[in-house]
């Protein structure tokens, strides 16, 4: 077990205190390297340190401020010749000696009473007593407020980290040997052998106030019987008595010396801890034989409080009290805060992989862990921070991110930077330099993630196949993948505890089941139905895929009371949407209503899974300024109580059958996807218009009368074509998105109706719901087929499948296919973020592709290769062109292939209604009614 050495700053602080003055300077440093892209910069730091008689500065720069400071402190230590490890015991025996001395130190040195050490808070309460009880405190009060004692215990026996009972046993036995203190034989009291001088006591009283007025504080009793629900208890503090006395009463411990205390839970600054009564054990000590044991009455394991142990990551016995009480260096009186059921359920939620994502957005019922990361639209804590806090809350080691450069042949990786919290800067800089010179392959960084137990045993490894041009993108994306993996795993805890997966998982995950199950055993035993404490059962495994394939879930939530007219501005896939919502629990008889969650402005990106399915479905059925209500599926009880804040107590007893959850939502604002905004802002006319013009030109050249738009979306092309004079007589659109098609139907209907008022004939129009990778004979042999900005939304094999089907079966005379030119992206990105320098690097910048729904974006060479192969295979010619920009390096913004069928005449096919007509007719002009 490596012991954590104090940081260089900590060592200097011990020596110099506030006389060590650090000044950190921010420097901008050039990074990046996409071809044609103006140099970007990022912030790095260097640090100067002033000590009495010595000043030093870091020669290099660091990505994090704190690393720069530590480096400066280390230089100073080297110059001063200070060995940071000098006073640190290195063996369990030395630690034992140190523990004995430290416990003594609290009692024999009167000056201690004038310090700000929180233990003095405990002492000064008991110094207000009279008689024998003066200055007598429970041993666990020391463990609760002295970090060093805990560290020493851990060095003596590493298991102490997880076991407050063992800490008590070690302290008890050490205290017996500590000079100047007396320890009780039958209980765990400790006090000074000599009376304190009145002056010393006076000093303590001056700083530490007593609690003469009664104060009530709420705490949560966590029963050790899993079937019993946690409930509120009220602790009354009064009469200047030590608070642990009252805690003991609630726990039916014989006295406060038998109360044990866990580590702090949640934020490190909080005083939330679990208190529990010491099980009936006898401590045996024989340090010479290195044997320190708790002799229980045989069966103390059956009293393990699983929930409390899971929450604290320590072994807790019997009923436990979750309370926020304690002395701190910050306050001069007892710090007390209510802990209610909501706090308890939020602590539980925080242990889930998606919990902190919900909590950090303050949207427990609405927010979900998004399935994709983009710097542009990510809200709340970053994936990397979420993964770190998940590991911390699960009492695992900090995740290790290893970024490496993938060399051009993609086979070997060179530079590697291992990062655990703080990155190894030198290597990181090297990475960046590599990218700068690597013009051939801008996406060359990948990031592997390792999750280890506290004992540094690997339990999960993730090796990414994706590469990124920015180190932070590589880290964030990999962190998100790991979080999603854990999230899927946690979702199955309730249902399938007996099923785990084989060590080799797909998608770059490798699990080490033994360590994994050991680390999550407590979690499984709390959440698994079967109470999977039996590891044998867990390892009897079958493979379950952790990654349920992402379906295009177009579920439709039924809305009630849609208010306001359709403004025509609607949230679509990829748009950043701002809503206002409330989520209320309503009793079935509608008499009572509890508002659980509300936001006046809540922003998320459609299509990323950042909110629940139902909420997203609701939002996409509305346009800006419209509002609606819907009844949502009732979330799990724990989640409701975590959201319920002040109602958590009321709601804890209500049966699920008697209420429902209602969302009321209004769409406030829609920001189009970055891709669309860039296309509009940076090109005149906008790129989509230019694509229409391009199509019109070909229609006219060809005197085309029939046109099919593959992947028509909400019909923008068909719509615009009606505004141009063309030879077209029949327009058809196909798409798989019902929502898109419905919008297309509405706008085409309007446009055609208007046209009929001024013209005698208008073209016919048809919309089909279907996949363009399926052949439908009704669309055979059209004059012109268009497929604009669609293929990149399909997987590459599907794009090829479409290419083959359209040229071999649909066989239009001319086919126009457009798709983004990847090589043009740096220009877009630079133009979209002109002020990038002023913004922190982490907060700005688009995602890797123009739109996160894109499965790929091709270079000119890739696109031309795809198109040429298809053309040759199916007897078409192909020409390349594009819109947006001049076409010179690096090509057009949107690249276009125009295929021409080489055979003039087509054999007619016989249309058989039953065959080859998989598409569903959704809308037709004339004779149409608009689909709902
Ligand atoms: N062509 C439109 C929409 C482009 S967005 C325009 O230029 O504005 C891409 C569209 O492709 C989406 O509407 C999506 O639903 C559709 N799409 C993706 N895969 C599809 C498939 N297999 N079959 C039909 N449409 C598909
Ligand atoms: Mg697109």
């Amino acid at each position: 077990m490596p012991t954590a050495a104090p940081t260089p700053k900590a060592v200097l602080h011990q020596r110099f205190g506030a006389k060590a003055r650090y000044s950190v300077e921010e420097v901008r440093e050039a990074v990046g390297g996409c071809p044609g892209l103006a140099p970007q910069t990022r912030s790095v730091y260097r640090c100067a340190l002033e000590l009495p008689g010595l000043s030093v500065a870091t020669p290099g720069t660091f990505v994090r401020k704190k690393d720069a400071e530590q480096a400066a402190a280390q230089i100073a230590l080297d110059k001063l010749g200070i060995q940071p490890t000098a006073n640190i015991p290195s063996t369990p025996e030395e630690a034992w000696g140190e523990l004995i001395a430290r416990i003594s130190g609290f009692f024999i040195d009167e000056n201690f009473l004038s310090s700000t050490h929180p233990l003095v808070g405990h002492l000064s309460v008991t110094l207000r007593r009279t008689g024998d009880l003066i200055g007598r405190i429970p041993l666990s009060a020391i463990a609760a407020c002295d970090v060093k004692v805990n560290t020493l215990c851990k060095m003596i026996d590493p298991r102490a980290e997880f076991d407050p009972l063992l800490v008590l046993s070690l302290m008890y036995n050490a205290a017996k040997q500590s000079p100047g203190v007396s320890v009780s034989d039958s209980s765990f009291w400790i006090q000074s052998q000599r009376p304190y001088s009145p002056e010393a006591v006076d000093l303590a009283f001056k700083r530490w106030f007593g609690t003469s007025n009664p104060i009530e504080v709420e705490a949560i009793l966590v029963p050790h019987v899993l079937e019993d629900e946690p409930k509120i208890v009220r602790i009354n503090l009064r009469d200047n008595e030590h608070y642990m006395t009252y805690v003991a009463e609630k726990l039916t411990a014989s006295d406060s010396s038998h109360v044990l205390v866990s580590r702090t839970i949640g934020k490190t600054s909080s005083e939330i801890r679990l208190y529990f009564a010491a099980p009936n054990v006898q401590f045996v000590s024989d340090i010479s034989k290195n044997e320190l044991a708790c002799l229980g009455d045989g069966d103390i394991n059956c009293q393990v409080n699983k929930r409390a142990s899971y929450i604290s990551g320590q072994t807790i016995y019997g009923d436990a009290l979750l309370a926020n009480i304690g002395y701190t260096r910050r306050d001069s009186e007892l710090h007390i805060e209510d802990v209610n059921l909501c706090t308890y359920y939020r602590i539980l939620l925080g242990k889930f992989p998606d919990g902190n994502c919900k909590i950090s957005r303050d949207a427990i019922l609405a927010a979900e862990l998004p399935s994709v990361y983009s710097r542009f639209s990510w809200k709340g804590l970053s994936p990397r921070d979420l993964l770190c806090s998940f590991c911390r809350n699960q009492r695992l080691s900090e995740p290790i991110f290893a970024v490496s450069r993938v060399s051009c042949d993609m086979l070997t990786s060179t530079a590697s930077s291992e990062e655990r919290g703080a990155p190894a800067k030198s290597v990181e800089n090297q990475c960046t330099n590599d990218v700068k010179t690597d013009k051939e392959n801008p996406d060359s960084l990948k990031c592997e993630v390792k999750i280890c137990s506290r004992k540094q045993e690997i339990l999960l490894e993730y090796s990414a196949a994706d590469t990124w041009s920015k180190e932070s993108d590589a880290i964030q994306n990999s962190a998100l993948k790991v979080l999603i993996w854990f999230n899927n795993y946690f979702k199955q805890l309730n249902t399938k505890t007996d099923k785990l997966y084989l060590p080799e998982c797909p998608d770059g995950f490798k699990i080490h089941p033994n360590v994994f199950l050991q680390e999550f055993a407590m979690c499984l035993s709390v959440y698994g139905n079967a109470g999977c404490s039996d590891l044998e059962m867990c390892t009897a495994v079958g493979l379950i895929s952790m990654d349920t394939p992402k379906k295009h879930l177009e579920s439709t939530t039924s809305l009630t009371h849609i208010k306001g007219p359709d403004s025509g501005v609607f949230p679509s896939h990829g748009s950043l949407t701002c809503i206002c919502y409330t989520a209320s629990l309503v009793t079935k008889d509608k008499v009572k209503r509890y508002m659980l969650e509300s936001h006046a402005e809540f922003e998320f990106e459609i299509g990323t899974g950042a909110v629940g399915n139902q909420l997203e479905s609701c939002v996409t059925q509305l346009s800006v300024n419209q509002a609606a209500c819907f009844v949502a599926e009732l979330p799990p009880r724990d989640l409701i109580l975590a959201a319920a804040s002040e109602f958590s107590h009321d709601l804890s007893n209500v049966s699920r059958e008697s209420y429902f959850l209602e969302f009321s939502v209004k769409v406030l604002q829609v920001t189009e996807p970055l891709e669309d905004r860039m296309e509009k802002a940076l090109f005149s006319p906008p790129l989509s218009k230019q694509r229409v013009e391009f199509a019109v030109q070909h229609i006219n050249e060809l005197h085309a009368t029939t046109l099919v738009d593959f992947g028509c979306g909400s019909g923008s092309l068909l719509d615009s074509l009606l505004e141009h004079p063309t030879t077209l007589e029949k327009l058809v659109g196909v798409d798989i998105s019902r929502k898109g098609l419905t919008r297309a139907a509405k706008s085409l209907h309007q446009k055609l109706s208007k046209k009929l008022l001024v013209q005698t004939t208008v073209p016919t129009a048809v919309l089909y719901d279907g996949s363009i990778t399926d052949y439908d004979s009704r669309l055979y042999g059209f004059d012109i087929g268009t497929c604009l900005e669609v293929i990149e939304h399909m997987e590459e094999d599907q794009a090829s499948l479409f290419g083959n089907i359209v040229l071999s079966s649909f066989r239009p005379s001319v086919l126009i296919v457009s798709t983004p030119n990847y090589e043009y992206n740096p220009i877009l990105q630079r133009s979209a973020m002109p002020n990038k320098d002023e913004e922190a690097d982490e907060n700005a910048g688009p995602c890797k592709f123009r739109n996160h729904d894109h499965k790929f974006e091709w270079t000119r060479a890739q696109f031309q290769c795809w198109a040429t192969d298809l053309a040759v295979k199916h007897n078409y010619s192909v020409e390349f062109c594009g819109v947006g920009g001049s076409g010179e390096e690096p090509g057009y913004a949107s690249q276009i292939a125009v295929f021409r069928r080489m055979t003039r005449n087509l054999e007619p096919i016989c249309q058989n209604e039953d065959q080859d007509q998989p598409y569903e007719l959704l809308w037709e002009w004339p004779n149409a009614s608009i689909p709902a």
Side-chain angles (χ1 to χ4, degrees):
M1 267 291 292
T3 50
T7 62
K9 264 188 88 173
V11 175
L12 280 182
H13 182 76
Q14 266 185 347
R15 288 249 175 151
F16 298 99
K19 290 191 189 119
R21 288 218 307 277
Y22 297 83
S23 46
V24 178
E25 179 196 359
E26 185 177 332
V27 197
R28 298 300 301 187
E29 178 192 80
V31 290
C34 281
L37 182 63
Q40 304 167 26
T41 62
R42 64 169 177 181
S43 287
V44 289
Y45 301 93
R46 67 169 124 251
C47 176
L49 168 59
E50 295 279 341
L51 292 170
L54 176 71
S55 46
V56 297
T58 56
T61 58
F62 296 84
V63 179
R64 290 155 179 246
K65 284 184 190 167
K66 61 178 183 198
D67 294 334
E69 291 182 347
Q70 293 293 4
Q74 186 59 55
I75 296 170
L77 285 181
D78 292 345
K79 293 220 159 144
L80 293 166
I82 298 175
Q83 292 280 325
T85 48
N87 295 325
I88 305 285
S90 54
T91 63
E93 286 72 27
E94 279 175 41
W96 182 249
E98 182 96 5
L99 180 63
I100 293 171
R102 185 153 184 96
I103 294 175
S104 269
F106 294 135
F107 297 93
I108 51 177
D109 180 6
E110 283 214 333
N111 289 333
F112 179 69
L113 281 189
S114 59
S115 74
T116 58
H117 195 292
L119 186 59
V120 186
H122 291 267
L123 272 170
S124 67
V125 179
T126 58
L127 290 173
R128 291 184 158 88
R129 294 171 176 160
T130 50
D132 286 352
L133 298 177
I134 289 187
R136 199 171 87 166
I137 57 167
L139 262 169
S140 52
I142 301 179
C145 63
D146 191 65
V147 181
K148 185 85 182 282
V149 160
N150 288 290
T151 312
L152 291 169
C153 288
K154 258 182 269 174
M155 292 179 69
I156 298 165
D157 187 337
R159 290 171 304 171
E161 180 172 5
F162 307 103
D163 192 353
L165 187 60
L166 180 57
V167 171
L168 182 67
S169 142
L170 291 166
M171 285 179 47
Y172 180 66
N173 289 302
K176 284 196 157 169
Q177 299 177 33
S178 298
V181 301
S182 62
V183 190
S184 145
D185 270 338
S186 53
S187 297
F188 309 108
W189 299 116
I190 183 164
Q191 70 196 109
S192 169
Q193 279 171 358
R194 276 186 314 155
Y196 294 96
S197 72
E199 295 77 34
V201 173
D202 235 36
L203 264 178
F205 284 178
K206 278 216 179 85
R207 179 177 148 91
W208 300 95
F209 305 125
T211 49
S212 40
N213 295 328
I215 314 173
E216 190 181 75
V217 61
E218 284 181 3
I220 296 295
L221 187 81
V222 186
H224 86 280
V225 177
L226 271 181
E227 287 70 37
D228 295 347
E229 296 293 342
K231 61 168 197 274
I232 290 204
V233 292
R234 296 192 166 77
I235 306 174
N236 260 300
L237 309 171
R238 55 188 190 278
D239 307 333
N240 256 332
E241 189 40 86
H242 186 222
Y243 73 89
M244 283 173 65
T245 309
Y246 303 112
V247 171
E249 278 172 13
K250 299 287 169 189
L251 288 169
T252 59
S254 48
D255 58 52
S256 63
S257 82
H258 285 88
V259 171
L260 291 176
V261 190
S262 78
R263 55 186 278 272
T264 56
I265 289 159
K267 276 182 256 138
T268 38
S269 62
S270 94
E271 278 300 311
I272 302 186
R273 298 168 187 272
L274 284 154
Y275 294 84
F276 59 104
N280 207 1
V281 291
Q282 197 196 338
F283 296 142
V284 187
S285 90
D286 190 350
I287 191 68
S288 58
K289 289 192 210 135
N290 206 4
E291 229 172 57
L292 260 146
C294 311
L295 294 186
D297 49 13
D299 233 2
I300 61 169
N301 276 336
C302 69
Q303 298 167 25
V304 167
N305 185 325
K306 288 179 176 169
R307 279 178 295 207
S309 304
Y310 171 59
I311 285 177
S312 63
Q314 293 183 315
T315 313
I316 309 281
Y317 299 97
D319 292 349
L321 208 58
L322 185 73
N324 192 349
I325 314 179
Y327 293 97
T328 68
R329 283 180 192 274
R330 300 179 301 274
D331 307 310
S332 51
E333 54 193 331
L334 186 63
H335 168 92
I336 43 172
E337 228 175 284
D338 287 341
V339 174
N340 54 26
L341 279 172
C342 176
T343 324
Y344 169 81
Y345 284 104
R346 279 186 191 211
I347 290 173
L348 274 184
L349 179 60
K351 301 202 65 139
F352 274 68
D354 60 353
N356 280 307
C357 159
K358 288 166 172 286
I359 294 170
S360 74
R361 296 211 63 189
D362 189 23
I364 290 172
L365 298 175
E368 300 284 341
L369 182 67
S371 58
V372 287
Y373 171 77
S374 94
R375 258 178 290 157
F376 171 67
S377 67
W378 189 271
K379 306 277 171 191
L381 288 178
S382 74
R384 174 211 169 118
D385 290 345
L386 289 173
L387 185 61
C388 289
S389 67
F390 170 70
C391 288
R392 216 170 297 137
N393 289 342
Q394 289 293 337
R395 307 229 67 203
L396 302 169
S397 286
E398 289 282 297
I400 300 167
F401 299 98
V403 178
S404 56
R405 198 174 69 82
V406 181
S407 64
C408 294
D409 58 3
M410 295 288 195
L411 285 174
T412 50
S413 61
T414 51
S416 158
S417 98
E418 286 242 329
E419 154 165 29
R420 180 192 309 248
K425 332 79 202 168
S426 56
V427 188
E428 190 187 31
N429 287 339
Q430 194 183 331
C431 271
T432 321
N433 290 338
D434 282 345
V435 183
K436 218 182 292 174
T437 53
D438 185 11
K439 291 213 178 354
E440 306 306 311
N441 183 14
D443 290 341
S444 58
L445 295 175
K446 65 181 194 131
C447 174
E448 289 173 13
V449 186
K450 286 197 185 92
I451 306 292
C452 300
S453 70
R454 297 282 279 192
K455 295 180 198 144
Q456 307 301 336
E457 300 157 319
I458 299 180
L459 56 92
L460 179 148
E461 288 171 89
Y462 171 66
S463 177
D466 287 337
T467 56
W468 308 88
S469 57
K470 277 176 158 275
E471 173 156 331
S472 71
D473 283 343
I475 293 176
Q476 299 294 5
N477 278 284
S478 293
L480 181 59
K481 282 274 163 45
V482 175
L483 269 174
I484 290 172
W485 189 94
F486 273 115
N487 209 26
N488 289 333
Y489 175 72
F490 268 64
K491 288 230 164 90
Q492 303 187 354
L493 281 181
N494 320 329
T495 48
K496 292 179 186 153
T497 44
D498 54 335
K499 288 208 174 166
L500 275 168
Y501 28 82
L502 298 170
E504 289 291 339
C505 274
D507 308 325
F509 283 96
K510 184 165 191 246
I511 311 300
H512 302 255
N514 289 336
V515 186
F516 188 95
L517 285 168
Q518 204 175 321
E519 290 300 311
F520 288 95
M522 207 37 104
C523 172
L524 285 166
S525 71
V526 171
Y527 286 104
N529 283 339
C532 193
S533 49
D534 181 2
L535 287 189
E536 284 298 292
M537 201 168 97
C538 287
T539 34
V541 281
L543 182 80
I544 36 173
S545 169
M546 279 300 160
D547 210 66
T548 31
K550 239 192 297 153
K551 269 181 271 161
H552 263 282
L553 276 177
E554 277 209 357
S555 67
T556 305
T557 302
S558 55
L559 306 184
T560 52
H561 323 305
I562 299 189
K563 280 180 245 155
D566 188 340
S567 65
V569 184
F570 53 87
S572 62
H573 202 98
S575 58
L576 210 54
T577 303
C578 186
I579 61 169
C580 141
Y581 75 88
T582 60
S584 314
L585 215 52
V586 189
T587 50
K588 290 242 160 100
D589 55 15
K590 300 200 176 163
V591 172
K592 266 204 160 149
R593 167 179 282 270
Y594 301 93
M595 211 256 282
L596 300 186
E597 192 169 291
S598 88
H599 271 277
E601 281 179 17
F602 183 81
E603 201 174 41
F604 65 97
E605 183 175 345
I606 303 272
T608 59
V611 298
N613 260 335
Q614 284 185 294
L615 180 53
E616 177 155 315
S617 160
C618 164
V619 169
T620 52
Q621 292 175 64
L622 300 174
S623 64
V624 168
N625 284 329
Q626 279 188 319
C629 294
F630 68 92
V631 172
E633 253 170 64
L634 208 56
R637 182 173 179 277
D638 288 11
L639 215 57
I640 294 177
L641 293 176
S645 59
E646 75 256 47
F647 305 125
S648 55
H649 186 60
D650 296 2
L651 292 176
S652 64
N653 302 318
V654 187
S655 111
R656 286 175 71 79
E657 280 71 49
S658 60
Y659 52 65
F660 61 89
L661 183 67
E662 186 191 77
F663 268 88
S664 145
V665 184
K666 180 172 184 184
V667 178
L668 301 175
Q669 203 192 353
V670 171
T671 312
E672 287 183 304
L674 191 63
E675 179 181 27
D676 302 40
R677 275 183 290 138
M678 288 193 297
E679 291 201 351
K680 275 191 192 148
L682 308 177
F683 298 95
S684 165
L687 269 197
S688 57
K689 277 265 169 344
Q690 294 193 33
R691 279 191 287 263
V692 175
E693 309 280 348
F694 189 91
V696 168
Q697 200 186 322
H698 282 84
I699 292 163
N700 289 338
E701 259 171 37
L702 211 73
H703 300 288
T705 55
T706 52
L707 175 142
V708 48
D709 189 21
F710 294 104
C712 62
S714 37
S716 64
L717 174 69
L718 300 175
D719 208 68
S720 316
L721 286 177
L722 290 176
E723 281 167 12
H724 287 78
T726 63
T727 44
L728 290 175
E729 290 164 13
K730 177 171 192 172
L731 294 113
V732 177
V734 190
D735 206 289
I736 37 163
S737 163
R738 278 262 174 175
K739 258 172 218 150
L741 288 168
T742 309
R743 305 239 180 231
K746 277 187 194 157
S747 72
L748 289 176
H749 191 95
Q750 268 182 1
K751 194 141 277 165
L752 286 163
S753 313
K754 269 195 203 147
K755 248 179 151 17
L756 257 193
L757 300 176
V758 291
Q759 282 170 224
T760 44
T761 56
V762 293
T764 60
V766 187
L767 292 173
Y768 290 112
D769 180 350
S771 169
I772 57 172
T773 51
D774 292 331
Y775 170 61
D776 190 297
S777 62
R778 287 169 289 188
L779 305 181
Y780 173 75
F782 271 46
D783 290 339
I784 194 156
T786 49
C787 181
L788 306 183
E789 308 294 294
V790 173
I791 56 171
E792 71 277 6
H793 292 265
M794 309 158 80
E795 297 296 341
E796 285 190 63
D797 60 332
Q798 294 293 301
S800 294
L801 181 61
F802 163 69
N804 280 313
I805 297 235
V806 67
L807 297 187
S808 71
S809 304
F810 287 108
R811 293 195 64 71
S813 311
V814 169
L815 174 72
I816 301 175
V817 178
S818 83
T819 194
N821 168 16
Y822 184 66
E823 295 163 273
Y824 199 86
N825 284 3
I827 297 179
L828 288 181
Q829 289 170 357
R830 190 179 48 203
S831 323
M833 314 283 154
N835 304 327
K836 201 165 177 176
D837 280 8
E838 281 124 60
E839 283 173 87
D841 204 25
E842 293 294 317
N843 301 332
C847 58
K848 180 174 173 172
F849 294 140
R850 297 181 192 181
N851 179 323
H852 67 70
D853 192 47
H854 288 177
K855 306 296 184 297
F856 60 82
E857 283 177 7
W858 281 337
T859 60
R860 284 168 294 173
Q862 286 172 305
F863 181 54
Q864 289 174 15
C865 174
W866 175 84
T868 311
D869 279 359
L870 282 173
V872 169
K873 206 153 115 196
H874 301 292
N875 205 15
Y876 274 74
S877 70
V878 63
E879 264 171 49
F880 297 97
C881 190
V883 293
S886 62
E888 283 159 26
E889 273 307 308
Y892 291 104
S894 196
Q895 45 185 342
I896 301 181
V898 181
F899 297 89
R900 288 193 172 80
R901 199 177 61 219
M902 310 263 254
T903 42
R904 283 252 137 219
N905 300 314
L906 277 184
E907 314 106 61
I909 53 147
C910 52
Q911 296 243 354
N912 183 337
E913 291 237 350
D914 302 327
Q915 273 173 10
D916 293 339
Q917 299 196 352
Y919 293 174
E920 183 188 344
L921 179 93
L922 196 83
W923 173 85
E924 191 177 17
W925 177 274
N927 331 317
S929 64
I930 304 170

